[in-house]
């Protein structure tokens, strides 16, 4: 199931990566530095609101679908989740509107926040359907929905930016794109809830599982967004825009990779545990961890190595120099968070001990706030990046230590060491290349780095990649052999 998902979700994640970089390229040019900073702050507020109100429902859909039996059990699962969602939407919209109206903020900033908050209910309904597709192994439907909303969100956002919507433009796109998709997906999902009833005991179980996840995601958002608010306090909105631009090009690369692997990996681990027990789970987990190391480590190192030419290509001139400074540190942060969220943190969700996940995330969240308060006034943008990297490192260590008491997920140390050696060789070679600047340097560094890492990984058989290649070659020869 894991590899079927990996290849099935590949097109969607290629689109995610292209659109993510395209959004940075476009919006850092169409929006002023101040407007891009307002967008970054409004986006953080929007995501925080979504996580606090709706994420527990999405987590419950992902975790408990496989445990249902066809018939009344499955209908009650859908009914409990969707009817609760509509109740929360009916409460969320007026409360968010009144709160935004009462808070004394700049009117332009309020418009950006309002655009983001209005999109939260729509994205929740879309996400519920997508989590169901993933849990059921309907890879093509999940990938197609992801592709459509991603491309649509960028196109709509660019249109509103050209129309003068300022920092609200990207957020309008993020809300309207899933709204356009709902007529095609929501009726089918609601039909599965028609014969079911809302079961209070079931909702209590879902809430006990999902709310700690939502709270831990909130703390992860604190880790990812506290620096922006403190930069706005200690510096200005333009500094926030520069930091967000550098953060985005580094984090987006790793985030897309881990979302891709996680989209396939999390349902596969749940299925392995539910239908194969702990032995099958550990076997599947070791395979996934090896794949994460094989792909994630060189990706983080590569982004750090090409920080300057990547910024020259992707980011507008007003934000470019400052963004270059933070990119390598954010690449490290994204790698640490990806391994925490998409692998080590799965111990808590698989063992249904999500309250421990919340405890594990408190440590880096508190550390992040304290470090930012100390480092931003002295070191500015780089201090914020250092704080993020240190905090995510603490988060990974806390999650690893506590998760082993729930379900000890294996760490393939031999694979980790080989991948680190291959990435080190790649770095040494790329550092010797001439700094010709811009797109040519980016392509040269990326191509040479990929070739060196690939050759080293195959030579050392990191993550069994050489065995896989030999097996595929043997299978191809067998297919071509005469009967």
């Amino acid at each position: 199931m894991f590899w079927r998902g990996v290849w099935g979700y590949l097109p969607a994640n290629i689109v995610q990566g292209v659109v993510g970089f395209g959004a940075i390229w476009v919006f850092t040019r169409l929006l002023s530095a101040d407007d891009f900073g307002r967008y970054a702050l409004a986006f953080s507020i929007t995501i925080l609101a979504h996580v606090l109100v709706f994420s527990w429902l999405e987590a419950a859909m992902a975790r408990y679908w496989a445990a249902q039996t066809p018939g009344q059990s499955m209908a009650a699962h859908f009914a409990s989740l969707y009817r609760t969602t509509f109740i929360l939407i009916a409460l969320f919209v007026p409360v968010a509107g009144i709160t935004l109206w009462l808070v004394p903020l700049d009117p332009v900033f309020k418009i950006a926040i309002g655009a983001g908050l209005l999109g939260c209910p729509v994205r929740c309904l879309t996400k519920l359907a997508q989590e169901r597709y993933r849990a059921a192994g309907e890879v093509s439907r999940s990938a197609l929905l992801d592709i459509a909303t991603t491309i649509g969100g960028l196109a709509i956002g660019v249109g509103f930016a050209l129309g003068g919507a300022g920092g609200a433009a990207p957020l309008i796109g993020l809300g309207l794109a899933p709204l356009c998709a709902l007529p095609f997906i929501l009726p089918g999902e609601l039909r599965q809830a028609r014969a079911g009833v809302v079961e209070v005991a079931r909702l209590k179980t879902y809430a006990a599982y999902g709310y700690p996840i939502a709270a831990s995601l909130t703390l992860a958002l604190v880790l990812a967004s506290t620096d922006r608010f403190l930069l706005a306090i200690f510096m200005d909105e333009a500094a926030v825009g520069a930091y967000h631009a550098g953060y985005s090009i580094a984090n987006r690369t790793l985030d897309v990779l881990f979302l891709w692997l996680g989209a396939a990996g999390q349902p596969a681990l749940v299925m392995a545990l539910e239908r194969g027990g702990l032995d099958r789970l550990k076997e599947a987990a070791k395979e996934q961890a090896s794949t994460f190391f094989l792909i994630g480590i060189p990706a983080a190192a590569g982004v750090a190595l090409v920080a300057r030419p990547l910024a020259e290509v992707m980011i507008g001139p007003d934000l470019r120099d400052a963004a270059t400074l933070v990119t390598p540190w954010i690449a490290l942060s994204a790698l640490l968070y990806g391994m925490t969220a998409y692998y080590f943190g799965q111990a808590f969700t698989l063992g249904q001990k999500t309250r421990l996940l919340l405890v594990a995330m408190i440590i880096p969240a508190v550390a992040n706030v304290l470090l930012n308060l100390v480092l931003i006034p002295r070191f500015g943008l780089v201090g914020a990046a250092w704080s993020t990297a240190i905090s995510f490192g603490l988060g990974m260590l806390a999650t690893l230590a506590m998760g082993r008491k729930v379900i000890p997920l294996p760490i393939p140390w031999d694979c980790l060491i080989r991948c680190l050696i291959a990435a080190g060789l790649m770095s040494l070679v790329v550092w010797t290349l001439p700094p010709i600047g811009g797109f040519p340097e980016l392509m040269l560094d990326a191509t040479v780095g990929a070739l060196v890492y690939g050759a080293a990984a195959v030579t050392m058989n990191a993550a069994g990649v050489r065995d896989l290649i030999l097996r595929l070659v043997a299978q191809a020869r067998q297919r071509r052999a005469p009967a």
Side-chain angles (χ1 to χ4, degrees):
M1 183 176 180
F2 172 61
W3 285 106
R4 180 164 63 90
V6 166
W7 296 117
Y9 289 119
L10 181 59
N13 283 273
I14 291 174
V15 170
Q16 282 273 3
V18 172
V19 170
F21 282 121
I24 298 167
W25 191 91
V26 171
F27 290 125
T28 57
R29 286 165 171 81
L30 290 181
L31 303 180
S32 67
D34 287 340
D35 274 339
F36 196 79
R38 292 187 189 99
Y39 153 65
L41 293 171
F43 179 77
S44 297
I45 293 171
T46 296
I47 297 300
L48 180 61
H50 182 104
V51 167
L52 286 172
V53 179
F54 298 111
S55 286
W56 70 278
L57 296 162
E58 300 158 6
M61 176 66 84
R63 178 61 182 85
Y64 289 102
W65 183 91
Q68 308 306 313
T69 56
Q72 184 57 39
S73 174
M74 187 66 76
H77 174 70
F78 277 88
S80 297
L81 288 176
Y82 273 100
R83 291 173 191 171
T84 302
T85 300
F86 284 116
I87 292 172
L88 288 178
I89 290 173
L91 295 172
F92 174 81
V93 173
V95 170
I98 293 171
T99 302
L100 187 60
W101 178 59
L102 292 175
V103 174
L105 293 174
D106 175 67
V108 177
F109 189 30
K110 279 191 177 185
I111 293 172
I113 297 173
L117 293 177
L118 285 175
C120 288
V122 178
R123 284 194 298 275
C124 175
L125 292 171
T126 307
K127 187 69 173 176
L128 280 173
Q130 191 170 18
E131 291 294 350
R132 201 274 295 175
Y133 297 157
R134 286 179 52 202
E138 297 179 17
V139 175
S140 59
R141 294 186 71 182
S142 177
L144 182 60
L145 177 59
D146 199 28
I147 290 171
T149 54
T150 299
I151 295 176
L154 176 61
I156 295 170
V158 169
F160 275 91
L162 291 171
L171 296 165
I172 294 172
L174 292 176
L176 289 181
L179 181 63
C180 294
L182 280 185
F184 301 98
I185 60 175
L186 189 57
E189 298 300 296
L190 294 181
R191 276 196 295 271
Q192 302 190 61
R194 190 173 298 164
V197 296
V198 176
E199 297 179 354
V200 175
R202 179 187 293 270
L203 278 176
K204 287 181 178 178
T205 300
Y206 290 177
Y209 169 82
Y211 266 119
I213 292 179
S216 66
L217 287 173
T218 301
L219 292 176
L221 287 171
V222 170
L223 279 168
S225 59
T226 298
D227 40 21
R228 292 164 176 77
F229 292 102
L230 291 176
L231 283 169
I233 293 171
F234 289 116
M235 299 178 73
D236 53 33
E237 290 175 337
V240 177
Y243 183 81
H244 185 71
Y247 192 103
S248 296
I249 61 172
N251 185 70
R252 189 62 177 166
T253 303
L254 276 296
D255 193 41
V256 166
L257 288 175
F258 280 111
L259 281 172
W260 167 40
L261 298 174
Q266 196 263 352
L269 292 180
V270 171
M271 198 70 74
L273 178 62
E274 292 288 344
R275 303 182 182 180
L278 283 175
D279 291 339
R280 179 69 189 96
L281 170 65
K282 291 181 179 180
E283 179 183 341
K286 184 176 181 180
E287 180 183 40
Q288 289 190 27
S290 298
T291 305
F292 283 14
F293 291 152
L294 181 67
I295 297 175
I297 289 173
V303 170
L305 289 167
V306 301
R308 180 180 46 79
L310 182 60
E312 291 173 356
V313 172
M314 297 303 305
I315 298 176
D318 293 342
L319 305 172
R320 185 177 297 162
D321 292 339
T324 301
L325 297 175
V326 305
T327 296
W329 297 103
I330 300 305
L332 174 60
S333 302
L335 175 63
L336 296 171
Y337 177 71
M339 289 303 306
T340 302
Y342 297 103
Y343 185 66
F344 296 121
Q346 294 298 321
F348 303 118
T349 58
L350 292 167
Q352 301 184 51
K353 302 290 185 181
T354 51
R355 292 179 182 176
L356 293 177
L357 177 61
L358 174 59
V359 175
M361 289 305 297
I362 289 174
I363 297 171
V366 172
N368 183 252
V369 174
L370 296 177
L371 287 168
N372 272 302
L373 288 172
V374 173
L375 296 179
I376 287 178
R378 294 187 63 187
F379 301 102
L381 298 181
V382 177
W386 291 345
S387 300
T388 301
I390 294 170
S391 300
F392 277 127
L394 291 173
M396 187 180 74
L397 292 175
T399 301
L400 175 60
M402 297 178 66
R404 295 188 70 81
K405 298 178 181 179
V406 181
I407 294 181
L409 297 178
I411 302 175
W413 291 105
D414 58 335
C415 173
L416 174 60
I417 293 170
R418 294 176 189 183
C419 290
L420 287 172
I421 293 172
L425 292 172
M426 175 188 74
S427 300
L428 289 174
V429 173
V430 171
W431 275 331
T432 65
L433 297 176
I436 56 180
F439 186 75
E441 182 180 350
L442 177 61
M443 289 296 98
L444 176 65
D445 291 355
T447 302
V448 172
L451 290 174
V452 172
Y453 180 82
V458 171
T459 300
M460 292 186 292
N461 198 28
V465 66
R466 187 177 65 221
D467 295 338
L468 175 62
I469 292 173
L470 293 175
R471 186 164 63 249
L472 292 175
V473 170
Q475 292 174 355
R477 288 176 177 173
Q478 287 180 353
R479 286 194 296 267
R480 286 197 296 265

